[in-house]
Amino acid sequence: MLNMAEGLDRLGALAAHPVVRTLATAFADAGFDLAVVGGPVRDALLGRPTHDLDFTTDARPDDILRIVTPISTAQWDIGRAFGTIGARVQKEQVEITTYRADSYDGVTRKPTVEFGDTIDADLVRRDFTVNAMALQVPSVKLVDPTGGVEDLIAGLLRTPTDPDVSFGDDPLRMLRAARFSAQLGFRIDDDTADAITRLRATLEIVSPERIQSELVRLMQTDDPVRGIRALVETGLIDEFLPEVSALKLEVDEHHHHKDVYEHSLTVLRQAISLEHSRHPGAEPDVALRIAALLHDIGKPRTRKLEDGGAVTFHHHDIVGARMARKRLQALRFDTATTDAVATLIELHLRFFGYAEGAWTDAAVRRYVRDAGPLLERLHILTRADVTTRNKRKAARLSSAYDDIESRIAALAEQEQLDAMRPELDGNRIQEVLGIRPGREVGEAYKFLLDLRLDEGVLGTDVAEERLRAWWAARA
């Protein structure tokens, strides 16, 4: 809960920040107002770390640039059309924006920029009340025209104006509501949530790249599940990632199966927990988290109701991988992330065959080879995918995975598994078989690689003998 006395002390500390103090003095000397605005003020009141410093001022862009140039090592005006000037002050990157009074055309989410004259009018146009607060400096005065402090105390996300107007102006704010709900642990106000449900279809005017950016920021939070629930409950997720809400499969009185939606959210939470425990301090692994959320999206398409009440989802891993790839491409994710997510989903069931019966060393090698650089992520996803309440079964699966990781480590140490190659290279294959470069060399190379995976190191003489026998049988 927000302690106002402590919060005010933290605002004083924010005002005393060397960069804030330097800018406040420069703008005051030039005869302009300056205030820290938005996230830094909210986070200071909550006692959360402040990462980026954003400012608002009555100075116009040309004046801002003139003021910051002598006290900064770099400046950029790429946002000048929107009233924003960036600068690097004392090694910190800051953005300073002229008071705005934007209006939107209702067709795209691009605002028609109009500069404002008052800080109150600038704050009212922002997305949520908790982000519509400013700290005037150097006077250290909190400006809160929309009740942001009260909403911080209540843990509530609410738009500063009528939510229909706010979301109608900028539909991306609906997605931000879910992200801030996860990031801050706040509840979305009922009227605000109802407006998201009514206006969810307007998200279509927002570019896939902007939606993807907000989705990534949601997945980077410590508890994205909270935001995902908000997206599903309002129906907003159906506008850009309908495969998630489709996981809510109906269960009839004759056929029963695990709640796939709740299972997927549990897997996501468990994957994040394992991510933190195995790699403390590392940046959030967005690809792993998306794979955890989407790992079972192939189940609705592959579900089959069997006689006797059984439900099967044959090949849902393969189907799900294809679905995930298509969806991430539509959201303009980069190729590396898309490939990683699709591959993790395709491989996420592979381990359960190991749990049912001991694998040969060759099978373990193939598991490693197929996972490639995603092996550690696959370890986490597979472990997170165990959500059974049967303690004996959970312990058995955990023990089996401990075993496979030990075997992988041992094999890697013995054979430098990550850099495994056949014992004969392409040139030697051509010499032994008396053939020219072409398709047959590639087939022979694959045969030797499989031989190495299946039987380990044989020595070059034995490898050549086996290669000749393979070639003769092939002929």
Side-chain angles (χ1 to χ4, degrees):
M1 180 178 292
L2 173 64
N3 182 304
M4 279 307 299
E6 294 178 358
L8 292 174
D9 287 343
R10 288 190 288 265
L11 287 181
L14 177 60
H17 189 288
V19 173
V20 175
R21 193 169 58 243
T22 297
L23 286 167
T25 300
F27 276 78
D29 289 347
F32 293 103
D33 295 332
L34 185 72
V36 187
V37 68
V41 179
R42 176 201 69 219
D43 290 340
L45 285 168
L46 291 173
R48 295 167 58 94
T50 299
H51 301 289
D52 300 309
L53 291 173
D54 295 322
F55 298 84
T56 188
T57 178
D58 57 346
R60 295 314 194 238
D62 289 342
D63 294 318
I64 297 173
L65 190 58
R66 174 176 55 81
I67 294 168
V68 301
T69 297
I71 59 173
S72 59
T73 57
Q75 311 84 36
W76 49 93
D77 62 356
I78 191 171
R80 180 192 289 265
F82 297 95
T84 300
I85 299 295
R88 184 171 293 108
V89 180
Q90 298 178 18
K91 298 183 179 181
E92 287 202 33
Q93 183 172 313
V94 301
E95 288 190 348
I96 307 159
T97 303
T98 302
Y99 296 157
R100 296 222 306 242
D102 296 342
S103 60
Y104 294 79
D105 60 16
V107 177
T108 70
R109 66 166 302 276
K110 295 181 180 180
T112 301
V113 178
E114 297 177 9
F115 295 140
D117 297 315
T118 68
I119 191 169
D120 281 16
D122 177 88
L123 294 175
V124 167
R125 54 165 281 278
R126 294 175 182 266
D127 53 6
F128 302 102
T129 59
V130 296
N131 297 330
M133 297 180 289
L135 178 66
Q136 290 184 323
V137 290
S139 60
V140 195
K141 177 185 176 183
L142 179 65
V143 183
D144 179 20
T146 65
V149 170
E150 288 81 357
D151 287 343
L152 279 183
I153 294 172
L156 193 67
L157 281 174
R158 181 173 59 87
T159 56
T161 58
D162 183 334
D164 287 78
V165 174
S166 181
F167 295 146
D169 283 346
D170 184 0
L172 191 66
R173 289 173 175 169
M174 297 186 290
L175 193 48
R176 286 199 197 111
R179 192 245 298 180
F180 282 121
S181 176
Q183 180 178 321
L184 302 174
F186 283 11
R187 180 177 69 84
I188 300 174
D189 167 70
D190 290 342
D191 290 341
T192 302
D194 290 343
I196 293 174
T197 299
R198 288 194 302 274
L199 300 174
R200 63 191 186 188
T202 62
L203 194 68
E204 67 181 3
I205 71 172
V206 180
S207 71
E209 291 82 0
R210 296 303 304 278
I211 294 173
Q212 177 233 106
S213 177
E214 278 300 321
L215 176 60
V216 167
R217 295 175 78 176
L218 167 60
M219 298 305 289
Q220 289 173 330
T221 65
D222 288 337
D223 184 22
V225 168
R226 186 185 187 98
I228 292 163
R229 287 193 186 279
L231 293 172
V232 171
E233 289 166 6
T234 59
L236 185 61
I237 203 165
D238 292 336
E239 304 301 321
F240 65 94
L241 197 58
E243 294 83 0
V244 174
S245 57
L247 293 171
K248 288 190 167 186
L249 300 178
E250 294 182 7
V251 179
D252 62 33
E253 60 179 319
H254 302 296
H255 297 84
H256 301 279
H257 57 77
K258 184 181 295 183
D259 185 324
V260 183
Y261 172 68
E262 291 297 334
H263 164 75
S264 298
L265 297 184
T266 300
V267 172
L268 173 56
R269 274 208 174 107
Q270 293 185 166
I272 292 172
S273 178
L274 286 167
E275 182 187 331
H276 289 328
S277 64
R278 292 172 72 117
H279 306 287
E283 291 294 313
D285 191 335
V286 173
L288 169 64
R289 296 180 181 195
I290 293 176
L293 176 63
L294 303 184
H295 75 285
D296 275 347
I297 60 171
K299 282 190 171 180
R301 290 194 183 179
T302 59
R303 183 172 69 156
K304 184 177 180 181
L305 307 180
E306 305 284 358
D307 293 338
V311 181
T312 60
F313 304 98
H314 295 308
H315 307 302
H316 77 268
D317 46 344
I318 306 299
V319 172
R322 292 171 183 164
M323 292 170 63
R325 182 179 295 280
K326 182 177 180 180
R327 180 58 60 189
L328 295 190
Q329 288 173 342
L331 288 171
R332 307 292 194 271
F333 273 88
D334 60 276
T335 300
T337 300
T338 301
D339 288 346
V341 171
T343 301
L344 287 170
I345 292 174
E346 184 174 341
L347 295 177
H348 82 273
L349 289 182
R350 185 79 64 86
F351 158 74
F352 292 97
Y354 182 90
E356 296 302 324
W359 280 359
T360 63
D361 283 352
V364 175
R365 292 187 187 102
R366 283 198 175 87
Y367 186 71
V368 174
R369 182 186 67 178
D370 291 346
L374 299 176
L375 182 61
E376 172 58 14
R377 286 163 156 172
L378 185 58
H379 287 333
I380 293 175
L381 176 59
T382 303
R383 286 183 180 273
D385 197 22
V386 178
T387 63
T388 178
R389 295 181 181 178
N390 185 321
K391 292 182 179 180
R392 181 175 296 179
K393 181 179 179 181
R396 178 175 60 81
L397 290 171
S398 178
S399 176
Y401 213 88
D402 289 342
D403 183 63
I404 193 175
E405 286 200 72
S406 296
R407 289 182 63 188
I408 288 170
L411 286 170
E413 184 176 350
Q414 294 168 8
E415 303 181 15
Q416 297 181 337
L417 193 58
D418 292 336
M420 184 174 291
R421 297 289 186 274
E423 294 182 70
L424 307 179
D425 62 16
N427 290 332
R428 185 56 184 158
I429 289 171
Q430 294 174 58
E431 292 174 4
V432 170
L433 299 182
I435 58 177
R436 298 175 62 82
R439 177 173 55 83
E440 287 97 346
V441 176
E443 292 174 355
Y445 188 93
K446 183 179 183 303
F447 163 75
L448 290 172
L449 179 57
D450 287 340
L451 190 65
R452 173 73 188 279
L453 289 168
D454 288 337
E455 301 182 29
V457 177
L458 300 176
T460 55
D461 290 344
V462 174
E464 289 179 7
E465 180 182 342
R466 297 286 291 275
L467 176 63
R468 291 190 183 96
W470 170 81
W471 181 254
R474 182 179 179 277

